[in-house]
Amino acid sequence: MKQFLLVISIFLICFSSYGQTTGKLRVEFFASPEQQYGFDQREFKAFNEQYEQLEFEGNEPYFVAHKSVGYNQRDEVRFVIKNKKNADFSALDFKIGKQKLYVDTSTFRKDTISFTLPERKKDYSLEVFYSQKLIGKLNVRIYSQKVENVIIVPLVNSAVNKDSLEDYLNAIYIQAGIQFNVSTTSIFTSEEINYDLLSNPSKDNDRYTNQMIAIRDLYFETHPNADKKSHYLFIVPGFVNPEITGYMVRNKSIGFVKELEADEMHHTIARQLGFGLGSLNDIWKDEGPEEGSTQNLMDIGFGTHLTEHQWESIRLGCTSVSYYDDYEDVQTNNGIIAYYFWEEDDRGNINFSKNLLGAINRPFKKNQYSVYLDIDNFLFKPIFRIFGWIISILHILAFLILLFLSILFRRKLFARWRDRFLKIRVVRFFVRIINFGVFLAMFLLVFFLINTAYPMFEVNEGVMKNLNGLTLSQARNEIKINDYSSKLEEQTLGSEIVVKKGEDWYLKKRKQVLYFSLTQDGDSWRNCKYITDSDFLAVDSKNYREKAKSHYLVFDYLNEKGEKIDQRVFNHLGNDITQKLELNDPIKRILVFVNGYRPTSMSQSFEDNFADIQKNGLEFPNSTNKIYNFDRYDYWRPWNEIDVLFQNRINPAETFYADGHFSVSTSNHRSLIDFTSLSSIYPKRCKDKNHHVCKTTQVENWSTLWFKVDKKTVDLFNLKSNKHGFKQRTTNGKIAGRNLNQIFNELPNISSNDTLYIVAHSMGYAYALGIIEELRGKINFGGLYIIAPENASAGKVNKAEWQEVWQYGDDFESEKEKSPCLIDGVAPQTKVAGLSPEHRIFIPKEKYSIKGFYDSHFIGYYTWIFKIDTAEKGHIRQR
């Protein structure tokens, strides 16, 4: 009996040990003192959502730690084996995917074990198995090195040591694979700025103070060649509130740091770059851990730790450099259709944890709805695309059938008429040409007839099968490049909503104002639901109801009883504009620059043109009809800052830039080949302005074969108006006008009391006419300044509706016979229809050195406009 009990006891002990080993054994990773990069493990409940969570038998929830490692580099990590008593270490396996790693298990009896992570080029997970059972995991992020430039600009005497600061920043930000190059400038001083204590900035790190804006703007005005791809930190005396040591707007590249002792200043700069570069926030905000309880960089104290979530945010922030906060110019990105992406549960609730506007993704606007075709007929299913045109099985069948019929017809015809008309070789050749032309015409006709059937498959509402299973980023990219519609733009403002439910994406086309509701649950909000859409913006709490001229999101906040207790309005950018509904509408002057053609080459020799075309491509793509609040294409600013000269005269409250660039095929040149051929043979400016030898030019003539003949230089131009091309640019200008109208009428602005001034150059003239047509009656017209317009006579200006209109350019009629070398060869000048000769101002005769085929057209040479006396025509008066 005693022996039996002894056997039973031994069995129970063994069973207990086995259960302990297999049921509670687990591997937990932590940072190694020898690590080069970063390590992040879950320490606070507030961050639970940032970590993958696993459930192990008989254990508490297991939160998977994160490790960052350099691209194709090794790094150290440590781990402990919990509850390892009686464990058989030979049963442990370390795997990356299906690959088993060799691990020396002889050290596993120690409390902590060091482990060298292998070289890899992509993210991976290191998994630990015991007897094929998962007991531990580490998610590894692989980061290629990104280099960011930081420029320290002291406004006071400062002992910043760039080398020690650089080492300090790199030691912290290597966690995200970021390396900094730090440089310092001399002290920046100016009588225009008061360098006393800075006023206290916003606690939300969302906007700059007027002092900060003044310092920033003056610095860049004083240093026009400053590197615009760097982050700038100004060292200042301090802030009114002595507790504030630094400030940087989130996701922006301008910061202000108080002069401090070296160690404290280094840490303050590192923390402020977290706000600016990484768009990070104070760690304790948004229901985070208690202030001062962590060693995180974004907490108080001198912590330097960054979480994996912060690593990713910092990496994303490296993609752009911006110096202006979102409040300096309240405007939306422009486009007639606003796009929204979000995820819903089965009850229609939008999934969000803390950041609601982050959950409602608003990546872009476009001028048209996306086109999704649900093609269930195999004959119409796309096989491939050519220049955006769908090629289907039906297209190929039509081609083959028509080709067969064409060949059959030609053979029948030849067989019947070979001994008559077709015995003449020339007749047979022309019959073949005619037959091929008929075949091509028939195929094009059938091709377009087939394409007219595709709208039958267009989905305006419902499941988007081609997006099934895609991530948000993938779905967003699919929609962004979906531009197969033949329409340039939609006629009315609207919204396209793409909603994910489970693995499926659903399409909804709605009006420009979207309404949502949130329900109160204690101190938090839950159950955010999309309610309805409207073309009216109605805010009951402000007693406001107006036809919406832009895109908005309205959130109704409901208490637990379902009663509305608050309303907030956001524009498409996510800016809260609720309070702006009550602001008075300011009267403003608005200046719009409309650029013309943007060439890839300005050379005058065939060899140079050919080299430039090989390097840059034939032409830049046509305008997307978007509006910018800066010189997007460096069309104006680099050339004597001519846009600044106009701004100084007009003194506008707001300045915008529209892109009127279109192919040379829309000009009177008709083709880039014709233009480059003309520019290569056109005579250069005569050296003696009193003796012109440019009246004729030698050109090759097909009738003379090897010989050149003299031709009147002016006759080299194709002066026949390209009305179709001019209309194309005008039509696209209307789209830009609609986008401008959105911007002009962003709350609290209403454009009816504003005054518009337009500066248009070259092809931009036709484009500007489209803008004017769209804005007529919606804003007051002030001044229209037309510089070297292309095909000017094709458009007409109503000078009576403008306070002043001037056309600047060369004197084509006067110079075409006696001095054609001075003519604007890019756009030979004709008078704008609707203007009298008194409204034309020619390039001054004394400006001989800036005349010629290119020079007479070059916008940088038109600074002479601002030297016209006040009593002379063409003077732009100071406002």
Side-chain angles (χ1 to χ4, degrees):
M1 185 65 178
K2 290 182 179 179
Q3 291 178 338
F4 176 78
L5 292 175
L6 178 62
V7 171
I8 294 297
S9 299
I10 294 172
F11 175 80
L12 291 174
I13 291 171
C14 292
F15 181 82
S16 175
S17 298
Y18 175 80
Q20 181 183 28
T21 301
T22 59
K24 294 184 179 180
L25 192 70
R26 61 194 279 167
V27 171
E28 294 183 357
F29 292 89
F30 60 97
S32 168
E34 289 77 37
Q35 74 175 9
Q36 181 182 0
Y37 289 86
F39 185 90
D40 174 40
Q41 64 189 87
R42 177 263 190 185
E43 294 183 23
F44 303 93
K45 291 182 179 179
F47 295 157
N48 281 1
E49 294 179 0
Q50 298 178 16
Y51 301 86
E52 180 182 0
Q53 184 174 336
L54 303 177
E55 296 291 340
F56 292 153
E57 181 182 348
N59 279 320
E60 296 177 354
Y62 182 97
F63 292 92
V64 181
H66 300 282
K67 179 77 181 80
S68 63
V69 181
Y71 179 83
N72 210 25
Q73 294 189 31
R74 297 174 180 268
D75 205 6
E76 298 295 316
V77 70
R78 287 189 174 185
F79 64 88
V80 296
I81 303 176
K82 295 289 186 71
N83 307 316
K84 62 184 179 182
K85 185 178 180 180
N86 300 320
D88 178 11
F89 295 137
S90 64
L92 281 171
D93 288 319
F94 289 72
K95 294 183 178 180
I96 297 177
K98 295 182 179 179
Q99 180 186 4
K100 184 183 295 186
L101 301 181
Y102 170 75
V103 179
D104 183 6
T105 60
S106 63
T107 62
F108 283 12
R109 293 293 175 185
K110 298 179 180 180
D111 290 334
T112 60
I113 301 102
S114 294
F115 184 81
T116 301
L117 296 170
E119 298 175 353
R120 287 292 186 273
K121 296 180 180 180
K122 294 182 180 181
D123 296 346
Y124 65 87
S125 294
L126 173 64
E127 296 177 311
V128 185
F129 295 86
Y130 184 82
S131 297
Q132 300 183 347
K133 198 171 187 178
L134 183 66
I135 62 169
K137 185 176 182 181
L138 176 68
N139 287 328
V140 182
R141 289 284 191 180
I142 304 299
Y143 289 140
S144 58
Q145 188 181 79
K146 288 188 176 183
V147 179
E148 295 292 309
N149 297 321
V150 173
I151 299 176
I152 305 297
V153 184
L155 306 186
V156 294
N157 287 322
S158 177
V160 174
N161 183 297
K162 76 177 189 66
D163 294 327
S164 60
L165 174 60
E166 188 172 275
D167 291 341
Y168 185 82
L169 293 176
N170 289 339
I172 295 174
Y173 282 88
I174 196 173
Q175 297 175 78
I178 306 298
Q179 178 180 331
F180 287 98
N181 289 331
V182 177
S183 61
T184 59
T185 70
S186 57
I187 296 178
F188 176 60
T189 60
S190 173
E191 296 179 354
E192 298 180 36
I193 292 181
N194 180 1
Y195 290 100
D196 291 338
L197 298 179
L198 272 61
S199 57
N200 298 333
S202 166
K203 294 181 180 180
D204 294 326
N205 287 80
D206 59 357
R207 68 189 77 187
Y208 293 113
T209 66
N210 291 335
Q211 281 174 296
M212 294 175 180
I213 291 172
I215 292 171
R216 177 202 65 194
D217 291 350
L218 184 60
Y219 180 81
F220 285 117
E221 288 171 10
T222 309
H223 302 82
N225 296 322
D227 184 3
K228 297 298 172 51
K229 295 182 179 180
S230 297
H231 308 275
Y232 287 83
L233 289 163
F234 294 90
I235 308 301
V236 299
F239 297 82
V240 172
N241 181 354
E243 299 295 321
I244 299 176
T245 58
Y247 185 80
M248 204 164 183
V249 173
R250 296 176 68 192
N251 200 33
K252 306 301 175 185
S253 301
I254 298 291
F256 300 84
V257 175
K258 179 181 179 180
E259 169 65 19
L260 301 162
E261 293 295 327
D263 289 344
E264 188 175 0
M265 182 180 293
H266 289 175
H267 185 78
T268 299
I269 289 173
R271 190 169 187 272
Q272 296 311 314
L273 286 170
F275 287 111
L277 178 64
S279 193
L280 306 183
N281 209 345
D282 295 313
I283 199 72
W284 60 85
K285 290 187 177 178
D286 297 327
E287 300 178 1
E290 183 179 352
E291 181 178 354
S293 64
T294 79
Q295 289 299 310
N296 194 274
L297 177 65
M298 304 310 293
D299 203 345
I300 60 175
F302 283 82
T304 58
H305 176 254
L306 293 168
T307 68
E308 186 270 351
H309 189 72
Q310 290 172 322
W311 302 342
E312 289 295 293
S313 185
I314 291 167
R315 299 285 296 187
L316 290 172
C318 293
T319 60
S320 65
V321 173
S322 177
Y323 301 140
Y324 307 97
D325 71 52
D326 295 332
Y327 291 86
E328 294 178 55
D329 185 12
V330 182
Q331 67 176 62
T332 60
N333 50 338
N334 47 91
I336 295 168
I337 306 301
Y339 283 75
Y340 303 89
F341 295 76
W342 67 69
E343 186 173 353
E344 290 182 0
D345 61 22
D346 294 337
R347 294 177 296 177
N349 294 316
I350 297 174
N351 296 336
F352 77 99
S353 55
K354 299 172 184 177
N355 186 355
L356 175 58
L357 285 175
I360 302 176
N361 194 264
R362 312 166 310 280
F364 47 77
K365 289 185 182 181
K366 292 163 48 172
N367 289 320
Q368 55 184 233
Y369 290 107
S370 62
V371 176
Y372 169 56
L373 303 176
D374 184 13
I375 302 174
D376 53 6
N377 188 314
F378 81 98
L379 290 176
F380 285 90
K381 283 189 176 297
I383 301 175
F384 55 88
R385 296 179 186 273
I386 298 179
F387 301 114
W389 293 99
I390 291 175
I391 303 299
S392 66
I393 295 175
L394 194 57
H395 287 105
I396 295 174
L397 287 176
F399 177 83
L400 294 176
I401 291 171
L402 287 173
L403 181 62
F404 171 77
L405 292 176
S406 174
I407 294 173
L408 181 63
F409 174 78
R410 182 171 62 83
R411 287 182 177 179
K412 292 287 186 180
L413 184 67
F414 273 54
R416 183 171 183 178
W417 298 97
R418 180 178 294 276
D419 296 331
R420 297 186 180 183
F421 305 107
L422 296 180
K423 65 182 180 180
I424 304 173
R425 181 176 297 177
V426 174
V427 174
R428 291 202 305 271
F429 173 76
F430 278 106
V431 167
R432 288 190 177 98
I433 294 296
I434 294 170
N435 183 63
F436 176 76
V438 171
F439 157 73
L440 186 61
M442 290 294 295
F443 174 71
L444 290 175
L445 177 62
V446 172
F447 180 88
F448 287 111
L449 283 174
I450 293 172
N451 286 352
T452 59
Y454 278 105
M456 296 189 306
F457 303 103
E458 186 173 342
V459 176
N460 292 311
E461 192 99 1
V463 180
M464 305 176 75
K465 295 179 181 178
N466 67 326
L467 302 185
N468 181 51
L470 297 186
T471 64
L472 169 63
S473 177
Q474 293 169 334
R476 193 169 54 200
N477 290 336
E478 285 291 322
I479 296 294
K480 187 174 183 179
I481 63 175
N482 189 318
D483 287 323
Y484 304 132
S485 174
S486 60
K487 291 186 292 186
L488 280 172
E489 37 78 34
E490 300 295 334
Q491 295 300 309
T492 58
L493 294 175
S495 302
E496 180 163 323
I497 304 171
V498 185
V499 178
K500 186 177 185 181
K501 293 183 179 181
E503 292 296 311
D504 294 325
W505 290 91
Y506 293 83
L507 174 68
K508 301 177 182 179
K509 294 182 179 179
R510 296 294 184 264
K511 297 176 182 177
Q512 62 266 42
V513 184
L514 305 181
Y515 290 85
F516 302 81
S517 70
L518 289 96
T519 305
Q520 192 173 33
D521 184 11
D523 295 331
S524 62
W525 298 93
R526 61 179 176 82
N527 295 345
C528 178
K529 289 187 176 183
Y530 164 70
I531 302 301
T532 188
D533 65 313
S534 175
D535 51 7
F536 277 84
L537 177 59
V539 184
D540 299 335
S541 60
K542 303 292 183 183
N543 195 26
Y544 183 95
R545 179 179 171 81
E546 294 288 344
K547 180 71 178 289
K549 298 180 180 179
S550 190
H551 301 90
Y552 304 99
L553 301 92
V554 181
F555 292 91
D556 292 340
Y557 292 80
L558 311 178
N559 62 20
E560 296 173 348
K561 297 180 180 179
E563 299 168 336
K564 188 185 299 182
I565 58 176
D566 193 15
Q567 279 184 301
R568 295 175 68 185
V569 182
F570 295 83
N571 61 16
H572 187 260
L573 285 176
N575 295 327
D576 188 342
I577 59 174
T578 312
Q579 302 305 320
K580 298 181 183 298
L581 298 175
E582 298 176 328
L583 296 179
N584 292 326
D585 180 20
I587 298 175
K588 296 181 296 186
R589 280 189 292 271
I590 299 173
L591 176 60
V592 177
F593 291 93
V594 188
N595 63 255
Y597 184 78
R598 295 181 274 106
T600 60
S601 173
M602 291 297 286
S603 302
Q604 282 191 297
S605 69
F606 176 78
E607 292 80 10
D608 289 345
N609 266 287
F610 187 70
D612 289 345
I613 288 170
Q614 280 186 317
K615 178 181 178 182
N616 302 320
L618 291 176
E619 291 184 303
F620 293 121
N622 288 345
S623 171
T624 59
N625 307 316
K626 293 294 185 69
I627 305 299
Y628 305 94
N629 61 357
F630 62 101
D631 187 9
R632 166 70 175 81
Y633 296 105
D634 291 328
Y635 191 96
W636 310 85
R637 185 64 55 88
W639 313 119
N640 298 315
E641 294 187 327
I642 193 166
D643 59 335
V644 175
L645 295 176
F646 274 102
Q647 287 175 316
N648 290 340
R649 286 290 176 91
I650 305 300
N651 194 25
E654 295 177 346
T655 301
F656 298 99
Y657 296 81
D659 181 26
H661 165 83
F662 285 85
S663 169
V664 170
S665 63
T666 66
S667 72
N668 286 349
H669 292 289
R670 263 63 176 196
S671 76
L672 186 61
I673 294 176
D674 288 347
F675 173 74
T676 53
S677 299
L678 173 62
S679 63
S680 66
I681 65 172
Y682 201 86
K684 296 182 179 179
R685 187 172 55 246
C686 294
K687 296 181 180 179
D688 185 353
K689 64 180 179 181
N690 296 316
H691 180 64
H692 284 276
V693 294
C694 58
K695 298 176 183 177
T696 60
T697 301
Q698 283 196 332
V699 297
E700 292 181 352
N701 190 303
W702 69 272
S703 62
T704 59
L705 296 179
W706 304 108
F707 300 99
K708 292 185 177 181
V709 296
D710 287 336
K711 186 174 183 178
K712 288 179 64 175
T713 299
V714 68
D715 291 340
L716 297 176
F717 293 110
N718 184 353
L719 299 177
K720 183 179 179 181
S721 176
N722 185 349
K723 295 182 179 179
H724 176 75
F726 192 93
K727 183 178 180 181
Q728 179 183 343
R729 285 179 268 141
T730 303
T731 300
N732 279 271
K734 292 179 183 179
I735 304 173
R738 289 190 176 188
N739 288 329
L740 272 168
N741 192 48
Q742 278 189 63
I743 296 171
F744 295 166
N745 292 279
E746 179 65 271
L747 297 174
N749 302 316
I750 299 175
S751 63
S752 58
N753 62 348
D754 298 332
T755 303
L756 176 66
Y757 297 80
I758 295 180
V759 180
H761 177 243
S762 189
M763 282 188 177
Y765 166 60
Y767 199 77
L769 289 184
I771 292 174
I772 292 167
E773 185 172 339
E774 182 63 34
L775 295 179
R776 183 173 286 114
K778 302 172 184 175
I779 193 170
N780 301 309
F781 290 157
L784 176 59
Y785 311 102
I786 309 166
I787 303 174
E790 196 279 328
N791 195 7
S793 60
K796 186 175 182 179
V797 169
N798 180 6
K799 63 182 180 181
E801 63 185 359
W802 294 88
Q803 296 175 15
E804 63 179 9
V805 183
W806 300 112
Q807 177 185 349
Y808 306 94
D810 75 350
D811 191 351
F812 178 80
E813 291 299 325
S814 174
E815 294 173 335
K816 66 180 182 180
E817 299 289 348
K818 62 180 182 180
S819 52
C821 68
L822 304 181
I823 289 175
D824 178 347
V826 178
Q829 298 294 287
T830 54
K831 184 177 70 67
V832 168
L835 297 186
S836 66
E838 291 299 313
H839 288 82
R840 292 191 69 182
I841 297 88
F842 303 117
I843 303 172
K845 292 182 179 180
E846 61 271 19
K847 298 291 184 181
Y848 187 82
S849 62
I850 61 170
K851 291 186 176 184
F853 189 92
Y854 285 107
D855 292 347
S856 291
H857 194 76
F858 178 48
I859 188 62
Y861 288 154
Y862 277 84
T863 53
W864 57 264
I865 292 173
F866 301 96
K867 298 179 181 179
I868 299 174
D869 291 339
T870 56
E872 297 180 5
K873 67 179 185 177
H875 171 76
I876 302 173
R877 68 180 180 86
Q878 183 69 55
R879 289 170 173 81

